[in-house]
Amino acid sequence: MFCIADVLSAEQLREVRRLLAEQPYQSGSKTAGWAATLVKNNEQLDPKGKHFEKLQQLIVAALAANEVFTLAAMPKALRPITFSRYTSGMGYGDHVDNALMGEGNRIRSDLSFTLFLSAPGDYEGGELMIEDTLGTHDHKLDAGALVLYPSDTVHRVATVTSGVRQVAVGWVQSLIRDPRQRQILFDLEVLRRQLFQQTGKTAQFDSLSKSCSNLWRMWAEP
Ligand code: NI
């Protein structure tokens, strides 16, 4: 699980909020599976809205430019970003995300993310709560920050009791399917960069780079 600050700059955030203002929203139950629809109570930006494509591009570009996101998720493919809104009384109860998403060009959801577009002070409640073997983790991040988490978790959004919670959510199919392998490659890449900073391009650096590349060859699903 990763929390990544400042995925959107203050300027990008202003632009996203401006584009979202006065856009048509529809009930989130339209895109929920038959079980999730029982607990999903939010609104989503209508993909036919006039700024939908621009918003997609803006968020996808910000994700691609974020080194931590790219290193941690190792994205192969993304689902179109969903822009969700929760007003007072709305929430999203316990559910699991669908394993396969989309029609035609389907992706496997390995990782889910929530990019917070509202500041924590803009609403009461609305925490993203993710269960794993260590317990439940609550996330209510600053505007512009993102939480990246495994798609195979049970998670929920606590009911918003006042204000408005706006988020962008998305799903990633990773080049590295196994989370343990992804973790190893992430750790080694961080080490490799630290080694380069400390000692430059030495024989040890090249040797470590070779091992990293060979692990990628063994594990990647490009
Ligand atoms: Ni979900």
Side-chain angles (χ1 to χ4, degrees):
M1 225 173 278
F2 282 85
C3 292
I4 309 173
D6 302 323
V7 171
L8 296 181
S9 65
E11 194 180 324
Q12 288 171 318
L13 202 50
R14 266 196 303 277
E15 177 69 355
V16 169
R17 285 176 176 162
R18 189 184 68 78
L19 293 171
L20 282 173
E22 292 166 30
Q23 287 297 296
Y25 277 75
Q26 56 192 19
S27 167
S29 61
K30 281 197 170 184
T31 58
W34 59 266
T37 193
L38 299 173
V39 291
K40 187 175 185 182
N41 179 16
N42 66 4
E43 296 172 318
Q44 289 171 187
L45 184 65
D46 186 341
K48 296 191 195 82
K50 63 178 174 177
H51 298 314
F52 191 77
E53 283 309 317
K54 181 121 197 261
L55 284 160
Q56 291 293 321
Q57 287 162 11
L58 208 156
I59 302 292
V60 169
L63 293 173
N66 190 281
E67 209 171 20
V68 180
F69 178 83
T70 307
L71 272 181
M74 301 166 181
K76 175 183 176 176
L78 285 180
R79 279 292 294 152
I81 310 294
T82 300
F83 295 87
S84 300
R85 181 168 76 182
Y86 296 74
T87 54
S88 186
M90 292 185 178
Y92 194 165
D94 278 338
H95 67 281
V96 289
D97 295 342
N98 289 338
L100 296 176
M101 296 182 167
E103 285 127 38
N105 259 350
R106 292 208 286 180
I107 74 157
R108 182 187 65 230
S109 60
D110 293 320
L111 293 158
S112 308
F113 62 84
T114 294
L115 172 59
F116 290 78
L117 303 175
S118 307
D122 291 348
Y123 57 100
E124 294 288 328
E127 295 84 1
L128 171 65
M129 303 168 88
I130 304 165
E131 286 178 20
D132 70 11
T133 50
L134 297 173
T136 304
H137 307 268
D138 294 8
H139 297 281
K140 186 169 181 173
L141 304 185
D142 287 338
L146 173 149
V147 56
L148 177 71
Y149 60 101
S151 297
D152 62 357
T153 52
V154 174
H155 52 273
R156 62 185 171 276
V157 177
T159 301
V160 170
T161 54
S162 71
V164 180
R165 174 190 193 264
Q166 281 197 300
V167 292
V169 300
W171 295 270
V172 182
Q173 178 167 335
S174 180
L175 288 163
I176 308 294
R177 180 181 192 165
D178 187 324
R180 297 165 303 176
Q181 293 172 344
R182 211 182 301 126
Q183 180 77 57
I184 290 169
L185 290 173
F186 177 85
D187 291 343
L188 287 175
E189 184 58 27
V190 171
L191 192 62
R192 190 172 157 268
R193 289 171 188 222
Q194 287 169 343
L195 187 65
F196 186 84
Q197 271 182 357
Q198 285 168 13
T199 61
K201 192 180 166 306
T202 58
Q204 287 80 8
F205 172 82
D206 287 341
S207 181
L208 179 59
S209 298
K210 187 180 82 170
S211 292
C212 289
S213 288
N214 286 337
L215 288 173
W216 272 92
R217 281 188 190 91
M218 284 200 289
W219 294 339
E221 298 172 345

